Amino acid sequence: MRLKKNGVSYIVTVAIMTAVTIAAGLFIWGIVGGWAGTSAMDMVRETNKGVAQQRSLLIVEFVDRERGIVWVSNPGKADLVVLSCTIYPKSSSPPPKTYQKLIEVKASMSNTYPLEIGSQCQLVGSGPYVIEITAIASTLYNDKNPTENIQWAIVVRQDV
């Protein structure tokens, strides 16, 4: 007498193994694709911040100490938000800063904007002076957290 062997056919085994392999491959492909997409978006965001910083330009046009006004202009390509303005003695270190929106300076070759000494621009000590202004591209500025992207700000220093 012959014994009958019952078992799974070769074709069914191959089909199951193929399905498992394809499913595992698609799962790994999805994980890697998601990670690559997220990484690419982070790189794009950082590049955009660097471009905004490179397009930022702020010039101290004139410091009128009699009237108490610092005139600034922005011939760059990005609108700026001035975050701090300090006038301090040339022989000393800059005083501590607080960052807050003082004024918005539009990118324009023909407009100048005033910063009032005392209320917007802090005056410390006696001359000769250095003026230091910190500004950030308006696209990077966050009203709720002014220091969020402060590493992308520009700092302008000039003897007064």
Side-chain angles (χ1 to χ4, degrees):
M1 253 173 98
R2 262 172 91 191
L3 290 172
K4 234 180 175 184
K5 288 186 178 178
N6 287 334
V8 180
S9 82
Y10 176 74
I11 294 175
V12 173
T13 303
V14 169
I16 290 172
M17 291 302 295
T18 302
V20 167
T21 304
I22 289 173
L26 289 174
F27 177 75
I28 292 171
W29 183 49
I31 296 291
V32 170
W35 174 79
T38 302
S39 296
M41 291 306 295
D42 287 344
M43 286 176 38
V44 167
R45 271 189 231 104
E46 291 297 309
T47 301
N48 286 342
K49 289 175 183 179
V51 168
Q53 182 186 38
Q54 291 298 316
R55 297 179 79 184
S56 300
L57 180 62
L58 186 73
I59 295 176
V60 177
E61 295 285 347
F62 182 67
V63 178
D64 187 349
R65 289 184 23 211
E66 289 178 19
R67 291 176 49 203
I69 298 175
V70 176
W71 293 94
V72 295
S73 67
N74 178 7
K77 294 186 176 189
D79 294 344
L80 298 175
V81 174
V82 175
L83 298 175
S84 74
C85 176
T86 308
I87 301 173
Y88 60 93
K90 191 175 186 176
S91 61
S92 69
S93 299
K97 298 179 194 176
T98 57
Y99 298 108
Q100 62 183 0
K101 183 177 184 177
L102 300 177
I103 62 170
E104 191 163 339
V105 181
K106 300 287 183 190
S108 169
M109 295 292 284
S110 58
N111 293 338
T112 56
Y113 296 86
L115 286 166
E116 293 179 15
I117 297 174
S119 61
Q120 294 175 311
C121 206
Q122 178 185 8
L123 178 62
V124 178
S126 59
Y129 292 109
V130 172
I131 186 168
E132 184 174 295
I133 299 174
T134 304
I136 191 167
S138 61
T139 56
L140 303 178
Y141 177 69
N142 180 354
D143 262 336
K144 294 177 182 130
N145 184 7
T147 60
E148 179 182 7
N149 291 313
I150 200 68
Q151 70 271 23
W152 299 105
I154 60 170
V155 177
V156 177
R157 284 185 195 92
Q158 181 174 322
D159 291 345
V160 177

